[in-house]
């Protein structure tokens, strides 16, 4: 009879320990998810939060390919479901790997990589 009681007590302790472990892991995952979404929200500029009177400068007029660059950038965003953070990281990675290439080439390379990886 005493062996049976020790067995039940051990099982209950293991159950409590396992339950608390699952709770801690789920809490950590939730905190990481909240932290990641807070970073993304911080990076997205909300037009309503800008102070009145501050003007956003127009795109540089000296860049003759600005319209093309904007179209290529929008294509990248479309392929990434408008995830600006990942788009910027991919562009930066290609620029670092190919510092001598033009901005247009970098954007086209990111698009080619994304389309290739979808196949």
């Amino acid at each position: 009879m005493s062996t049976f009681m020790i067995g039940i007590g051990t099982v209950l302790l293991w159950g409590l320990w396992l339950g608390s472990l699952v709770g801690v892991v789920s809490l950590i995952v939730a905190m990481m998810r909240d932290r990641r979404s807070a970073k993304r929200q911080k990076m997205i500029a909300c037009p309503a939060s800008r102070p009145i009177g501050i003007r956003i400068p127009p795109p540089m007029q000296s860049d003759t390919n600005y319209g093309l660059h904007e179209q290529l950038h929008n294509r990248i965003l479309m392929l990434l479901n408008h995830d600006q953070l990942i788009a910027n990281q991919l562009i930066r990675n290609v620029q670092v790997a190919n510092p001598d290439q033009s901005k247009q080439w970098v954007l086209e390379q990111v698009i080619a990589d994304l389309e290739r990886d979808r196949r």
Side-chain angles (χ1 to χ4, degrees):
M1 184 75 162
S2 64
T3 307
F4 180 70
M5 294 302 278
I6 293 172
I8 290 176
T10 305
V11 168
L12 288 175
L13 285 175
W14 275 101
L16 288 172
W17 180 81
L18 186 60
S20 64
L21 180 65
V22 168
V24 168
V25 168
S26 64
L27 180 65
I28 290 171
V29 168
M31 287 172 48
M32 288 173 48
R33 188 178 311 123
D34 290 344
R35 182 188 239 175
R36 203 174 308 140
S37 68
K39 277 185 179 179
R40 284 192 179 154
Q41 288 176 353
K42 200 181 287 184
M43 293 187 75
I44 298 171
C46 180
S49 66
R50 271 187 275 137
I52 297 174
I54 295 179
R55 289 186 29 182
I56 298 175
M60 292 176 46
Q61 300 301 322
S62 62
D63 190 359
T64 57
N65 292 330
Y66 178 76
L68 178 61
H69 293 171
E70 187 176 14
Q71 288 175 356
L72 293 172
H73 193 74
N74 288 338
R75 173 82 174 134
I76 292 170
L77 288 175
M78 188 187 73
L79 290 169
L80 293 171
N81 294 325
H82 301 282
D83 193 336
Q84 186 75 42
L85 181 64
I86 294 176
N88 290 338
Q89 288 174 349
L90 291 173
I91 293 168
R92 190 175 324 116
N93 290 344
V94 173
Q95 282 176 337
V96 168
N98 305 287
D100 56 329
Q101 296 294 336
S102 68
K103 185 172 182 176
Q104 180 179 344
W105 184 91
V106 169
L107 295 172
E108 289 173 350
Q109 186 64 37
V110 171
I111 291 171
D113 291 345
L114 288 170
E115 289 176 342
R116 181 198 65 221
D117 291 345
R118 287 192 172 205
R119 291 186 211 139

